[in-house]
Amino acid sequence: MKTILIPTDFSDTAYNAARYALDLARQAGTTRVVLYHAYELIIPDPEVPDHIPVIMPEELKEASDKGLALMHSKLQPILPAGVTLVCRSENQLLSAFIDQVAREEQANLIVMGITGGSGLEELLLGSNALDVMKETHTPLIIVPNGATFTSIDTVVFACDFRKVTENMPVRFLKQLLQVFRARLFVVNVDHEKRHFTAQTPFETLVMDTLLADFNPEYRFLENENVVDGIISFAEAEKAGIIVTLPRQHGFLAGLFRRSHTRQLAFHSHIPLLVIRE
């Protein structure tokens, strides 16, 4: 993970995500971190009353650059040795151009924080992080509000054992495990074997073959609530991160439900790594 990209809106949670990313960079051998601010120029609408002030592009650019300069200055004291911190700002829609920016910066990872502060669900139901998650092909770590970095000794990979060969994010997951030498749990949550199919044993074998070098430990959990099962297990094992795939809509959709707000707020110290290859 030579380069980490940190989109920011200069909020407290964005600063927290940046601090997390710098601590991660120290452990991962990262040499370059990019602070990125995408601001959007609002085009005047003829229907809008004239007394509403119109902000000029130059003003937005100046404010963006000042915000980045201040953030750069505040993060300097905790910048790991050997890591270069650079800034980039431009008039773009974040979600639409995040992959382009990641390619241009040769970023291996994106790290984002919550916008708000009432738990993980607010981030996922909010705008930027959810939009970026839907659009990016670069691995994305979502850092819950107030989370601090701890060495990633245990990884929980939430898996549904469907089309493993096609969907398994082998490359980045292996890189993560190699960097942190982490213990890997592959976790599947089901209730009364509703999702167990004739292909499940074969898919499990394929998974085991792909991850053979890392001695994965499998856990098949019985729980009516998939989200509760995954997060409770990660909590019990003191996992440093939960890994999931954006195609697994059952798990991610569960995270977005308002009914899980209290649950997610309680467990929100566990960052979520979303990978799509």
Side-chain angles (χ1 to χ4, degrees):
M1 288 182 273
K2 297 301 182 183
T3 300
I4 296 176
L5 177 64
I6 310 173
T8 181
D9 60 3
F10 311 125
S11 65
D12 289 342
T13 50
Y15 268 88
N16 184 64
R19 289 189 291 269
Y20 179 97
L22 293 184
D23 286 335
L24 178 69
R26 180 180 290 105
Q27 301 256 337
T30 300
T31 56
R32 187 167 179 268
V33 174
V34 181
L35 297 175
Y36 177 61
H37 183 235
Y39 59 91
E40 297 177 56
L41 175 62
I42 299 175
I43 300 175
D45 188 332
E47 301 298 324
V48 176
D50 293 338
H51 67 271
I52 296 179
V54 176
I55 301 176
M56 302 302 293
E58 298 80 11
E59 295 177 282
L60 286 173
K61 176 63 174 173
E62 182 180 1
S64 178
D65 288 343
K66 284 183 177 179
L68 285 171
L70 178 60
M71 193 170 191
H72 187 283
S73 175
K74 288 186 175 181
L75 293 175
Q76 276 295 325
I78 62 171
L79 187 66
V83 176
T84 302
L85 183 64
V86 300
C87 299
R88 173 172 175 169
S89 74
E90 55 198 356
N91 177 23
Q92 297 285 15
L93 178 64
L94 177 62
S95 59
F97 287 88
I98 190 65
D99 258 8
Q100 178 180 320
V101 174
R103 286 193 301 270
E104 292 173 356
E105 298 294 345
Q106 297 184 325
N108 309 104
L109 178 68
I110 300 170
V111 177
M112 293 186 71
I114 298 171
T115 300
S118 61
L120 184 58
E121 188 185 60
E122 180 172 349
L123 176 143
L124 295 175
L125 284 173
S127 54
N128 288 343
L130 177 56
D131 290 342
V132 167
M133 185 183 71
K134 289 179 178 178
E135 298 298 330
T136 188
H137 287 79
T138 303
L140 167 68
I141 290 182
I142 298 171
V143 183
N145 189 32
T148 56
F149 179 80
T150 57
S151 182
I152 301 175
D153 300 317
T154 299
V155 173
V156 169
F157 176 35
C159 180
D160 62 2
F161 293 108
R162 294 181 182 177
K163 299 182 180 179
V164 168
T165 304
E166 297 176 26
N167 299 295
M168 178 67 181
V170 176
R171 181 177 56 84
F172 189 83
L173 186 56
K174 285 186 174 182
Q175 182 182 3
L176 182 77
L177 295 169
Q178 287 168 347
V179 167
F180 293 99
R181 299 180 181 179
R183 183 183 186 186
L184 173 64
F185 285 104
V186 180
V187 178
N188 177 264
V189 179
D190 202 349
H191 180 57
E192 297 177 347
K193 296 185 177 181
R194 291 176 183 173
H195 303 293
F196 188 93
T197 70
Q199 291 298 312
T200 301
F202 172 73
E203 297 289 355
T204 305
L205 180 61
V206 172
M207 176 78 73
D208 201 47
T209 302
L210 291 172
L211 297 174
D213 293 341
F214 302 98
N215 301 311
E217 300 177 48
Y218 295 88
R219 297 292 185 271
F220 294 86
L221 309 178
E222 169 67 26
N223 197 313
E224 290 185 279
N225 187 313
V226 175
V227 174
D228 183 61
I230 294 292
I231 297 180
S232 295
F233 179 83
E235 165 81 5
E237 294 297 333
K238 297 181 171 56
I241 203 160
I242 298 171
V243 180
T244 191
L245 312 180
R247 71 175 185 85
Q248 293 175 314
H249 300 296
F251 174 61
L252 290 177
L255 286 178
F256 304 148
R257 288 185 191 165
R258 291 188 178 276
S259 61
H260 295 300
T261 301
R262 181 187 60 81
Q263 175 188 184
L264 290 171
F266 182 74
H267 293 289
S268 65
H269 65 281
I270 303 175
L272 182 69
L273 171 59
V274 181
I275 310 175
R276 183 175 67 182
E277 289 197 339

